[in-house]
Amino acid sequence: MSSLIDEVLKEAGFSDAAIAEVKTGKLHYGGSLDAASDKELSVKLAFHVEGKIDNIKLVFLHLPAKKKYDPTVGALGMIATDGGDGSLEDFAGIKLSPNEVTMDKLYSNAAPGSDLNLSKDEIDAFKKLDKKATHEEIENCLRQVLLNRFRAYKKNGLAGIKPYARSKKEFSAGEELKNQILHGPILKKRSPVFHKYALDYPNNKPEGAEESFFWVNSIIDDKPTIALVHRVGMPHGNDGYVYMERHFYISRSHNCLQGIGAAMVHGEEETVVLYATRTSTDQVSGFGSAAKRTIGNKVMGGRMADNFERARKVLAASKSKDLSLRNLSLDD
């Protein structure tokens, strides 16, 4: 009789040999997913973790140690840990650095189709700043934009995400994220309740579902790139945990990102994880899109595999710790 792990990984396209190797401790890069749009890069991974699902859940929801396994991450901060509407203080750690002068010019001269992902009214907010606005004033305006976007998403979900202004047609990250969920068959088949919640958030919350929010400042092309991240997960049966990581706002470079994962018990203190992520970026659309996506998928797949190899070590290290929100910090 096949196990849940065997069934799920086979449905995701992993071979029997790959599944056997994953169970014994290896990480397998399973290639890309069927694209939901011509702007998409994707990757699927399966890997083994030494640690219980409860440890993985705590790190995933409340102690996202991305700085330890993603070398592009410069800073990270939790948002509204009390479950409320958040405050500007939650974004105090966001800095437009390095390249402060360049970033000041980008925001001061923001326009539809520029290097920044901003809505029309957000562009207007930066234009209203004095031409001699200080770096601090520009950062404060950005923090207000981020707080407003967080509150709108938390209240209205995908429908609350303001579209990005482009030189021709606006781009809706909310629609892109919705299509990504609709395009993945495994989640709907294996966890229809969580699938519906991912589409309808914040409505139709399943029993046992928990969430957290944080911002990440990554350095991409030597420029600070801010993402607002929503993580939500819930138990699946007696031996599984299903979760989603959604970057519902990214300030530049990419449009949005969404990852779906399943953690499945393997032995007494071991877990097998399937993780698939889709990233939307204008850089691979248009002429030659298919070729650009093929190359981009391979590059991103290698980078993600490296990151998750490091993440496995972080999760394995948590196995020996007395994990609680009181004795750990984001930097542990």
Side-chain angles (χ1 to χ4, degrees):
M1 174 185 277
S2 62
S3 68
L4 175 65
I5 293 172
D6 295 324
E7 292 174 5
V8 172
L9 293 189
K10 281 183 180 178
E11 288 174 15
F14 290 87
S15 67
D16 289 339
I19 295 170
E21 289 187 344
V22 167
K23 289 180 178 180
T24 59
K26 290 188 177 181
L27 180 148
H28 260 273
Y29 165 51
S32 59
L33 306 166
D34 290 335
S37 79
D38 67 350
K39 299 177 184 292
E40 183 177 287
L41 297 176
S42 63
V43 62
K44 55 185 175 184
L45 301 166
F47 53 94
H48 172 277
V49 175
E50 292 184 10
K52 294 182 178 180
I53 284 182
D54 285 346
N55 286 29
I56 295 171
K57 169 185 159 184
L58 182 56
V59 173
F60 171 75
L61 282 176
H62 303 295
L63 301 163
K66 290 179 81 72
K67 287 177 69 175
K68 287 196 170 186
Y69 60 83
D70 186 343
T72 69
V73 173
L76 181 153
M78 302 302 293
I79 306 172
T81 54
D82 61 354
D85 293 330
S87 68
L88 285 172
E89 184 63 28
D90 291 330
F91 301 92
I94 289 179
K95 307 292 183 184
L96 283 175
S97 62
N99 284 325
E100 292 91 338
V101 174
T102 298
M103 297 309 297
D104 286 352
K105 288 181 179 178
L106 279 175
Y107 279 97
S108 296
N109 300 317
S114 69
D115 187 48
L116 300 173
N117 290 326
L118 295 169
S119 67
K120 291 179 180 178
D121 65 314
E122 291 165 349
I123 289 173
D124 289 341
F126 283 101
K127 284 184 175 179
K128 288 178 182 178
L129 295 176
D130 188 276
K131 285 293 184 182
K132 296 183 179 179
T134 65
H135 181 70
E136 182 180 5
E137 288 172 331
I138 292 171
E139 285 184 333
N140 286 339
C141 187
L142 174 60
R143 293 182 186 113
Q144 186 64 60
V145 164
L146 296 173
L147 176 61
N148 292 346
R149 279 193 173 266
F150 163 72
R151 287 176 171 172
Y153 172 78
K154 194 166 189 289
K155 181 179 180 180
N156 297 306
L158 297 177
I161 301 175
K162 289 183 178 180
Y164 303 148
R166 297 290 192 248
S167 55
K168 294 182 180 180
K169 185 181 179 181
E170 290 183 327
F171 176 82
S172 173
E175 283 298 313
E176 189 88 342
L177 291 165
K178 177 182 177 180
N179 289 336
Q180 289 176 357
I181 291 291
L182 292 173
H183 210 73
I186 297 178
L187 181 63
K188 185 175 183 179
K189 174 184 177 181
R190 289 288 175 175
S191 186
V193 172
F194 191 76
H195 179 267
K196 183 172 178 59
Y197 187 45
L199 289 170
D200 296 347
Y201 177 86
N203 301 316
N204 298 312
K205 181 179 180 180
E207 183 179 353
E210 297 180 86
E211 67 179 349
S212 64
F213 291 91
F214 59 95
W215 56 261
V216 179
N217 190 351
S218 301
I219 309 304
I220 300 176
D221 304 325
D222 295 322
K223 296 185 182 76
T225 305
I226 316 299
L228 297 180
V229 183
H230 178 209
R231 283 183 168 181
V232 58
M234 61 175 281
H236 183 75
N238 297 321
D239 55 0
Y241 183 75
V242 60
Y243 60 93
M244 175 185 74
E245 176 172 318
R246 175 181 284 166
H247 296 214
F248 59 93
Y249 175 70
I250 303 177
S251 64
R252 54 173 302 277
S253 182
H254 300 145
N255 298 319
C256 54
L257 179 153
Q258 193 159 237
I260 301 293
M264 297 162 281
V265 171
H266 179 56
E268 292 186 3
E269 293 194 353
E270 298 177 353
T271 306
V272 167
V273 176
L274 169 66
Y275 188 72
T277 183
R278 300 176 185 268
T279 301
S280 171
T281 173
D282 294 342
Q283 297 172 30
V284 297
S285 63
F287 181 75
S289 175
K292 286 187 277 189
R293 290 205 312 273
T294 297
I295 296 170
N297 283 333
K298 289 180 179 179
V299 172
M300 188 175 77
R303 187 180 302 129
M304 290 284 290
D306 289 342
N307 286 351
F308 274 90
E309 279 287 9
R310 289 186 284 266
R312 288 203 303 163
K313 295 177 181 178
V314 172
L315 291 168
S318 73
K319 176 182 175 181
S320 61
K321 292 185 178 182
D322 175 21
L323 284 179
S324 74
L325 294 180
R326 291 174 307 209
N327 62 22
L328 287 178
S329 70
L330 290 177
D331 295 322
D332 275 344

